[in-house]
Amino acid sequence: MASFSYSFYSIDWCSLLSWICLLVWLTILGFYLISLIYGKMHLHKAVQREDEEKCVILPGVTIAKPLSDLSDPNLVDNLASFFTLNYPTYEIIFCIQDEAAHELINVVNGLIAKYPDVDAKVYTGAKEAGVNPKVNNMLNAYESAQYPLFLISDAGIRMNEDTLMDMVQHLTDKVGLVHQLPRMMDGDLRFSRVVEKVSSIRVIFPLLTNFCYLLVISCC
């Protein structure tokens, strides 16, 4: 009987691994290009802006802003951007969990005094309704909301003047929830901000990041 022997050492493992990595990278790149084309064809549709007469019939929006501290150096500018929104009817409810955060409360009250034409108020103290502290912090805003539409926006978000109008006009009989992906801004190079920025990119491009992890592990 003829014998058959095979040695694993005859395989060029480096070349094989390189080809596998190249194939995986090309596959991910292909999916990414397909997503760009699909998004451009089906999702990238600018909503026609309503004229001033039609804007008065747009539903009001309650904006909940949960706040915790003053650690964000861009906090004041971020919050101020919500006072200049190009939308006919909205209110801003600031929810501050710590009742003793006097400096934060003073900052918010200063913005409210600076923009007296905007309906804004401050609630302090959180209600115990679950394990999520942010949800507990926003319960006051939810219970006191006077408009049918409810927008949850973190302290690190900065809005363009037409963003709220754009979001509301995307609501239809078939669309009941609108989310806008935040775009990270440069300028603050602290380590915590860099980590947050990288984490956001990972959410946007999970396949690409996972491939990078695979490549790093393979090279270790």
Side-chain angles (χ1 to χ4, degrees):
M1 179 181 295
S3 61
F4 177 78
S5 62
Y6 184 80
S7 175
F8 285 97
Y9 294 101
S10 62
I11 301 177
D12 188 350
W13 291 104
C14 291
S15 298
L16 179 60
L17 180 61
S18 299
W19 280 107
I20 292 176
C21 291
L22 178 61
L23 180 62
V24 172
W25 183 82
L26 290 175
T27 302
I28 295 174
L29 180 62
F31 278 114
Y32 178 64
L33 293 176
I34 292 173
S35 66
L36 286 179
I37 296 173
Y38 181 87
K40 183 68 175 179
M41 294 175 58
H42 299 281
L43 302 180
H44 187 70
K45 297 179 180 179
V47 175
Q48 185 176 2
R49 294 290 184 263
E50 303 285 352
D51 54 38
E52 294 183 0
E53 293 182 358
K54 293 182 179 180
C55 282
V56 296
I57 65 175
L58 291 173
V61 180
T62 296
I63 303 175
K65 296 288 295 183
L67 304 176
S68 58
D69 52 47
L70 292 170
S71 60
D72 188 348
N74 302 311
L75 178 64
V76 176
D77 293 334
N78 294 340
L79 299 182
S81 67
F82 285 80
F83 287 88
T84 58
L85 297 175
N86 182 21
Y87 195 81
T89 307
Y90 70 95
E91 64 173 342
I92 310 173
I93 302 180
F94 297 96
C95 303
I96 301 177
Q97 185 173 356
D98 186 4
E99 298 180 355
H102 301 297
E103 293 185 9
L104 179 58
I105 296 174
N106 291 336
V107 169
V108 175
N109 286 331
L111 289 172
I112 294 176
K114 183 178 179 180
Y115 301 93
D117 295 333
V118 178
D119 184 8
K121 57 182 69 72
V122 182
Y123 284 98
T124 59
K127 294 186 176 181
E128 294 295 334
V131 297
N132 192 317
K134 181 176 291 187
V135 173
N136 294 338
N137 190 22
M138 291 189 297
L139 279 180
N140 287 321
Y142 180 76
E143 294 176 352
S144 62
Q146 58 178 322
Y147 297 121
L149 299 183
F150 195 79
L151 171 64
I152 299 175
S153 177
D154 286 343
I157 299 298
R158 183 178 303 181
M159 297 276 271
N160 293 329
E161 292 183 355
D162 61 343
T163 301
L164 185 57
M165 178 74 74
D166 181 73
M167 296 180 71
V168 172
Q169 291 186 349
H170 272 88
L171 292 171
T172 64
D173 294 337
K174 296 182 179 180
V175 178
L177 177 66
V178 176
H179 169 71
Q180 287 204 345
L181 192 65
R183 174 174 58 87
M184 300 300 295
M185 298 179 61
D186 294 324
D188 186 359
L189 299 180
R190 289 186 299 170
F191 178 75
S192 60
R193 302 296 177 185
V194 174
V195 172
E196 183 179 4
K197 186 171 184 178
V198 172
S199 300
S200 299
I201 296 176
R202 184 186 177 188
V203 173
I204 302 172
F205 306 114
L207 290 177
L208 183 59
T209 306
N210 289 336
F211 170 71
C212 292
Y213 287 161
L214 175 63
L215 185 60
V216 171
I217 293 174
S218 300
C219 295
C220 292

